[in-house]
Amino acid sequence: MKIKRFISGLLESNGYVIYQQEGGDCFVIDPGYGARTFIDFIREHSLQLKGILLTHHHYDHTGAVKKLKAEFSCPVYMHRDDCDIYGKPVDVYMEDGDTFDLEGEELRVVSTPGHTRGSVCFVSDKSKVIFTGDTIFNVDLGRTDLEDGSEADMRKTIIDIVDGWSNDMMIYPGHGDGCTMKTVRRINGEFNDIVNER
């Protein structure tokens, strides 16, 4: 899998274009700002946008959705539990365990509530990558003090799901740089606090 990261907006949000080859299919994950940068990249590499995948509803991860959808007429995917607060059109409600095919590579939806009720991560076992949105970053975890966040849900997500990811999995978060889960276990104090207190 090829991964192109775009950093944009005051909050320096990460958005991603994932694809296998020039002229092939692609998905966009969390286009927060800078719709034109996504559009230009997709056009430059002759990619076919199959869908916009959203890890959660916050504007810094969804702000460019409208322009991308208008440009490429592609479906927008979000977990059902985030759609009411999002309040904008969503074409397909994702559920835990749903999969997307990227030219033979499977991307799996994993429900990870905590930052929002409908937060999800996207996992490729083949490439050993996980797009984590604002669930977990390299050095800390996503906030749980916003409108529909839950500290209890976040703790459960970390213990039941994230701690099960192997050290060689690479996380691509919604803010900041990616790293392996081995590095997360070494430098992420919030993650370790939860794991060690269970």
Side-chain angles (χ1 to χ4, degrees):
M1 179 191 292
K2 300 181 185 296
I3 300 169
K4 175 63 177 179
R5 175 172 71 148
F6 295 99
I7 306 171
S8 57
L10 292 175
L11 297 177
E12 296 188 335
S13 303
N14 293 330
Y16 301 94
V17 178
I18 61 172
Y19 62 108
Q20 301 287 8
Q21 58 187 338
E22 301 273 329
D25 295 341
C26 73
F27 288 101
V28 168
I29 298 174
D30 285 1
Y33 304 97
R36 179 49 56 185
T37 59
F38 288 93
I39 292 168
D40 288 348
F41 181 86
I42 290 168
R43 296 293 190 204
E44 177 184 351
H45 295 273
S46 303
L47 299 171
Q48 308 300 313
L49 182 57
K50 295 302 182 181
I52 300 169
L53 312 182
L54 303 175
T55 62
H56 64 292
H57 66 76
H58 290 152
Y59 186 82
D60 58 318
H61 296 263
T62 64
V65 166
K66 183 177 180 180
K67 290 182 179 179
L68 281 173
K69 182 174 173 59
E71 182 77 17
F72 296 105
S73 300
C74 61
V76 176
Y77 297 82
M78 178 180 281
H79 193 282
R80 182 184 302 272
D81 289 347
D82 264 20
C83 289
D84 286 344
I85 293 180
Y86 180 53
K88 298 177 180 65
V90 171
D91 298 294
V92 182
Y93 298 134
M94 293 183 295
E95 302 290 347
D96 183 71
D98 287 350
T99 59
F100 298 94
D101 177 71
L102 182 60
E103 297 191 329
E105 182 164 355
E106 182 178 276
L107 198 67
R108 186 175 76 257
V109 178
V110 177
S111 182
T112 53
H115 183 62
T116 67
R117 282 193 296 271
S119 286
V120 301
C121 296
F122 301 108
V123 179
S124 168
D125 293 313
K126 180 178 180 179
S127 292
K128 295 187 177 299
V129 300
I130 307 169
F131 299 92
T132 60
D134 285 3
T135 294
I136 185 168
F137 311 111
N138 53 2
V139 296
D140 56 9
L141 304 178
R143 295 176 61 176
T144 59
D145 60 342
L146 301 175
E147 181 177 6
D148 62 335
S150 167
E151 183 176 354
D153 285 348
M154 180 65 84
R155 290 179 62 84
K156 182 172 176 58
T157 285
I158 295 304
I159 292 169
D160 293 348
I161 299 170
V162 178
D163 191 39
W165 294 340
S166 61
N167 280 340
D168 59 349
M169 296 296 283
M170 182 82 179
I171 67 165
Y172 288 87
H175 303 271
D177 293 334
C179 68
T180 63
M181 281 300 297
K182 182 177 181 179
T183 300
V184 167
R185 292 184 166 98
R186 182 169 56 85
I187 68 174
N188 191 320
E190 292 185 7
F191 170 84
N192 285 316
D193 285 347
I194 290 175
V195 170
N196 293 332
E197 289 175 3
R198 61 180 168 177

